[in-house]
Amino acid sequence: MPTSVFNPPQIDLEGLRGKFLDRITERCLAIECIVVGAEGTHPTEVERAQIAHYAHKTVGVAATFGYGTLGERARDVERIMSPNDVPDWSTARPVINAMLQEMERILDDAG
Amino acid sequence: MKILAVDDDPDFLDVFETVLNGLGHGDVTRMGSGREVLDLLATSEANFDLFVLDIQMPEMDGIQLCRAIRAIDRFRDTPIIMNTAMGDRENVDAAFAAGATDYLTKPVDPVEIKARLGVISRLLNERELAKKSISQGQSDRRTGPSYGFEDGIPLKRVEGAIDLFAMGNYLKTLGMFRALSVCAVAVSVSNARQIHDLEGGYVFGEVMIDVATCLSDCLNPSNRMLAYAGSGIFVCLVSRTDLPEPERLGDQLRQYVMEFEEIYRDLDIQLPVISVGPAIQNRAMQLGSPSRIIDEAIASAKSSRARYASTA
């Protein structure tokens, strides 16, 4: 049957959801490691780039799986960690924490 | 439609390919880097109808890859959609300047992808029909593609020239404030019909490329963007801050065109007569369709053409 804006295409992404959640678990752990390691100091440039990279990858697909809030939090992190806009770690950290909390909430819900 | 999707994120490619398959596009090749793509395109006769490129990739980014694909002759006109999570002006401008046809913003939205691919599919069909009509009209006195009066003419040798379709897409990606800062100005060759009918489609195409080159030279090199709309009409997008007076633009363009006078006289070809329309800008109430300024500029050029025809 043809689809339209009023009859959006139904795409079955369930087969990919488990893989996406696995990836979120990996990213969540990796970012938490960087954040804990930076306690009392600040992350290196490489670590900042790593966080921005994880956020960028999360922005690309989160909303497609129905995790729009995670997509927004990840976009905030990507934006604040971009090379042109690197703030103090004390400013960046709450933004990163908000993304991590959303990741954890999704993983908890998924059981 | 044979699609090549390029992204360094395999998860994204999984989702994108699944969405494309779900929309009935089963012929999808996926690659993870620009280098892989260029190796494939250089070493084989692989052909694709559409490229979808991520912008933010390590080593070679999507904009560099777009430029490299455009440099390959058989992909000069193949639609290229840029796909990225970033939506800033710098990337949008750089992507279109590198030859992008359209621009998608992540995350993947099946409805948006369906709509965009539908438009691309129609564009490919129209080009196929145009190619057929061009190949059937090869009875010119000089060799080369013979264009119909209303046909599109590729302006690949002209700095700042993009496809009219891509120009419309560019406007749609700009957002409200950026769209308000841009004007469309149409430039018309008033005697285009006579040149076409007297000289044939090949010479007409070459004359239009000459006019486009002169027009490009008149525009600010840092952000010039022009497209050919068929029927001897060009559209340029100009920042409101760079906007030249139509009279001044017309005078400068006529001066550049006059440099061809001797050559045209020797070849016994009419010199193009140039007319420049008013600057058309978006109004806040009409930002739902920012690309309408292109249509309005073209309509304005056509109406002044009609006035020229009635007085000529």
Side-chain angles (χ1 to χ4, degrees):
Chain A
M1 191 172 73
T3 57
S4 72
V5 175
F6 304 105
N7 180 19
Q10 298 300 310
I11 310 291
D12 184 7
L13 293 170
E14 285 313 303
L16 298 173
R17 186 181 299 275
K19 204 170 157 187
F20 172 73
L21 293 173
D22 288 346
R23 200 75 73 183
I24 290 298
T25 307
E26 292 164 15
R27 288 173 191 164
C28 191
L29 291 172
I31 295 170
E32 275 174 355
C33 273
I34 294 173
V35 170
V36 169
E39 202 68 55
T41 165
H42 55 81
T44 65
E45 206 171 303
V46 172
E47 288 170 333
R48 282 177 183 271
Q50 192 66 56
I51 293 172
H53 177 75
Y54 288 142
H56 174 70
K57 299 302 171 198
T58 304
V59 171
V61 289
T64 312
F65 285 106
Y67 305 122
T69 305
L70 174 58
E72 286 168 24
R73 299 286 173 270
R75 191 185 298 277
D76 293 341
V77 172
E78 185 189 18
R79 197 172 289 138
I80 206 165
M81 301 300 277
S82 75
N84 303 327
D85 185 24
V86 179
D88 284 348
W89 182 232
S90 58
T91 309
R93 188 162 167 180
V95 180
I96 295 167
N97 281 344
M99 179 181 75
L100 289 172
Q101 278 169 15
E102 186 60 18
M103 284 177 165
E104 284 166 5
R105 190 192 64 74
I106 288 168
L107 293 171
D108 286 347
D109 286 353
Chain B
M1 182 156 42
K2 280 173 71 82
I3 300 172
L4 176 61
V6 190
D7 199 300
D8 63 316
D9 182 1
D11 293 344
F12 176 82
L13 286 176
D14 285 343
V15 173
F16 195 61
E17 186 176 11
T18 303
V19 169
L20 289 176
N21 290 165
L23 294 172
H25 298 286
D27 196 348
V28 180
T29 303
R30 39 188 288 177
M31 295 204 145
S33 75
R35 184 48 51 204
E36 272 182 87
V37 173
L38 294 181
D39 287 347
L40 172 76
L41 300 182
T43 58
S44 77
E45 282 307 303
N47 259 311
F48 296 96
D49 301 309
L50 171 66
F51 295 95
V52 182
L53 313 181
D54 182 33
I55 286 194
Q56 197 173 318
M57 294 191 287
E59 293 172 24
M60 178 183 286
D61 68 32
I63 292 168
Q64 293 169 315
L65 177 58
C66 177
R67 203 173 290 120
I69 291 172
R70 280 282 177 254
I72 301 170
D73 203 46
R74 69 184 193 279
F75 298 119
R76 278 189 333 175
D77 297 319
T78 307
I80 299 178
I81 296 181
M82 307 307 290
N83 204 350
T84 183
M86 299 175 293
D88 59 284
R89 171 88 183 242
E90 196 180 314
N91 277 307
V92 173
D93 287 358
F96 281 98
T101 314
D102 202 354
Y103 196 93
L104 278 172
T105 306
K106 291 177 182 177
V108 172
D109 177 352
V111 174
E112 188 182 2
I113 291 175
K114 180 179 158 56
R116 299 294 179 95
L117 292 193
V119 175
I120 294 281
S121 184
R122 283 197 295 279
L123 176 76
L124 290 171
N125 288 339
E126 281 169 18
R127 281 187 183 166
E128 201 52 42
L129 287 172
K131 255 189 220 164
K132 279 182 191 158
S133 77
I134 286 167
S135 64
Q136 284 161 4
Q138 290 283 11
S139 56
D140 237 319
R141 63 170 152 143
R142 294 163 177 94
T143 55
S146 177
Y147 299 102
F149 181 60
E150 293 179 359
D151 287 347
I153 296 171
L155 302 177
K156 298 297 173 191
R157 289 174 271 154
V158 181
E159 289 290 327
I162 65 169
D163 198 273
L164 188 70
F165 173 70
M167 182 181 271
N169 289 331
Y170 169 77
L171 282 172
K172 287 174 194 161
T173 64
L174 288 183
M176 185 171 79
F177 293 113
R178 294 169 191 160
L180 283 170
S181 72
V182 173
C183 299
V185 177
V187 170
S188 167
V189 176
S190 305
N191 55 342
R193 171 61 82 181
Q194 291 96 311
I195 295 173
H196 182 270
D197 293 351
L198 286 169
E199 309 299 338
Y202 170 69
V203 171
F204 179 71
E206 292 299 306
V207 172
M208 291 304 113
I209 290 169
D210 286 343
V211 174
T213 308
C214 295
L215 178 56
S216 172
D217 288 343
C218 293
L219 301 173
N220 182 346
S222 65
N223 57 5
R224 60 187 155 196
M225 193 179 275
L226 66 139
Y228 180 64
S231 311
I233 295 172
F234 300 83
V235 182
C236 11
L237 289 188
V238 187
S239 159
R240 281 171 67 174
T241 51
D242 287 342
L243 185 64
E245 288 295 318
E247 294 80 14
R248 202 161 63 82
L249 176 61
D251 289 345
Q252 190 179 9
L253 185 50
R254 279 185 280 274
Q255 186 187 330
Y256 289 166
V257 167
M258 280 301 284
E259 292 173 11
F260 289 81
E261 188 181 23
E262 201 175 321
I263 301 169
Y264 275 53
R265 195 188 312 123
D266 290 348
L267 292 169
D268 198 21
I269 298 171
Q270 281 190 36
L271 202 62
V273 176
I274 303 297
S275 118
V276 176
I280 309 288
Q281 62 192 63
N282 272 306
R283 290 181 286 276
M285 295 295 285
Q286 294 169 316
L287 281 172
S289 54
S291 58
R292 67 163 192 89
I293 59 173
I294 296 176
D295 300 331
E296 278 189 29
I298 293 170
S300 157
K302 282 185 174 163
S303 77
S304 69
R305 167 87 55 78
R307 284 196 299 276
Y308 171 85
S310 67
T311 56

